[in-house]
Amino acid sequence: MISKDQLPDNIKEIIKKQVEKFNVRVFTEEVNEIPNVEDIPGEGSAKWLKIKDVICVFVDMKNSTKLSASHHAGTTGRAYTLFTGTAVRLFKEFGASYIDIKGDGVFALFNSNKVNAAFASAVTFKTFIKEEFTPKVANKTDVDTGVHIGIHQATLLVSKIGLRKSASRGDMHNEVWAGKTVNMASKLASLSNSNEIHVSDKYHSKLRSRKTLYSCECDDPVYLWEEVDITNDDKFSFDKAMVLKSFWCKKHGATYLKEILDAD
């Protein structure tokens, strides 16, 4: 417990009020889909919403720290705008219900009936990285960049925490997504060397369309996924991941993309 003279009274009062909130019983309400932002409860309600089987696609820029440290702010800003701005717009186009930016990364949340849309968004984004982002950044810098991508599916809790807008300050009131979904997707992304999609075995088991599993008819179709043993990695709550290294085929990609989306 904080002692009498350990902190100023105004700071102790803030902490006291937050501890009082901690002692209030919180309850959850199950909902079938990711809610609209305005429907997410705040701290005052003592309620969290619970959504089952939410899919999180997490994308993270490779070597962003090196890019920021070694190049002009304008060049760094242009790279971030291209990476982040494209990610947000593509995820929205593929039907993500919630999108957030985390530093040099972006995560998108899809409802459980959007398994194939989530997959298609990830392959589309990494195809953009290979064909547009990396060459353009390489033309302006000496940084070897790309993307790390992770996908996981699990139950999420959500509420809003922080301070609402007032006349004296901006908005400090944000959605907090609790649970393993976003965290595990981020950790799966960290397994990638570059331009790979690492997914949990739970999410991978939901990919039942042949076109999400096998290469196109340019040649004899081959199984595209490789198993990754993460049994000894205590960062994860599961023992197996799967990795995809391929991109959309230059000849059949658009057709495959449409048929995969239709599978939802």
Side-chain angles (χ1 to χ4, degrees):
M1 181 177 290
I2 296 170
S3 66
K4 178 182 177 182
D5 299 317
Q6 191 171 3
L7 291 171
D9 288 344
N10 62 319
I11 302 300
K12 288 193 293 184
E13 184 63 22
I14 291 171
I15 294 171
K16 177 185 174 183
K17 288 182 178 179
Q18 292 306 116
V19 171
E20 288 172 354
K21 289 181 182 179
F22 174 78
N23 292 328
V24 174
R25 185 173 179 270
V26 170
F27 67 96
T28 60
E29 176 187 332
E30 289 197 11
V31 294
N32 294 324
E33 295 185 337
I34 298 165
N36 294 324
V37 171
E38 59 267 24
D39 296 328
I40 296 174
E43 286 183 68
S45 70
K47 178 172 76 172
W48 287 67
L49 299 181
K50 182 178 181 181
I51 318 108
K52 291 183 65 177
D53 291 331
V54 176
I55 303 161
C56 177
V57 180
F58 193 102
V59 300
D60 184 51
M61 189 192 306
K62 177 185 174 183
N63 284 336
S64 60
T65 302
K66 183 178 179 181
L67 177 67
S68 301
S70 61
H71 289 85
H72 188 274
T75 301
T76 301
R78 290 168 67 187
Y80 271 71
T81 299
L82 181 57
F83 184 95
T84 305
T86 304
V88 169
R89 287 164 175 79
L90 286 178
F91 288 143
K92 182 178 184 296
E93 185 68 20
F94 280 94
S97 296
Y98 184 90
I99 304 167
D100 200 2
I101 299 168
K102 295 294 184 185
D104 58 357
V106 178
F107 75 84
L109 302 179
F110 293 81
N111 286 311
S112 58
N113 62 346
K114 296 281 189 179
V115 170
N116 293 296
F119 169 81
S121 74
V123 179
T124 299
F125 188 69
K126 84 188 199 90
T127 300
F128 151 75
I129 293 294
K130 176 178 181 287
E131 302 293 347
E132 297 288 344
F133 179 77
T134 299
K136 283 178 169 52
V137 173
N139 189 46
K140 298 290 184 182
T141 74
D142 57 356
V143 175
D144 174 26
T145 189
V147 66
H148 310 296
I149 304 177
I151 307 178
H152 184 47
Q153 183 171 19
T155 297
L156 267 181
L157 299 174
V158 64
S159 182
K160 288 179 185 171
I161 297 176
L163 303 171
R164 295 182 181 276
K165 279 186 179 180
S166 72
S168 61
R169 64 167 189 270
D171 189 9
M172 303 177 186
H173 193 236
N174 298 302
E175 301 79 41
V176 175
W177 300 90
K180 296 178 180 178
T181 316
V182 178
N183 189 30
M184 289 296 107
S186 172
K187 293 184 187 309
L188 283 163
S190 71
L191 293 176
S192 167
N193 290 320
S194 182
N195 296 350
E196 295 175 344
I197 302 174
H198 279 78
V199 310
S200 62
D201 53 350
K202 176 179 179 179
Y203 171 74
H204 183 265
S205 70
K206 305 292 179 65
L207 294 173
R208 300 190 177 114
S209 168
R210 181 177 176 82
K211 286 181 166 53
T212 62
L213 303 174
Y214 290 87
S215 63
C216 70
E217 291 80 8
C218 284
D219 207 337
D220 291 335
V222 296
Y223 191 66
L224 293 172
W225 295 85
E226 298 174 19
E227 184 174 319
V228 180
D229 183 4
I230 50 175
T231 306
N232 297 320
D233 194 332
D234 58 10
K235 295 195 302 291
F236 296 99
S237 57
F238 41 88
D239 295 331
K240 186 173 70 173
M242 304 294 289
V243 59
L244 178 75
K245 299 179 180 179
S246 61
F247 304 85
W248 290 126
C249 170
K250 287 182 177 291
K251 184 175 180 181
H252 300 110
T255 300
Y256 256 58
L257 173 54
K258 183 181 183 306
E259 292 186 18
I260 286 170
L261 291 176
D262 289 345
D264 278 336

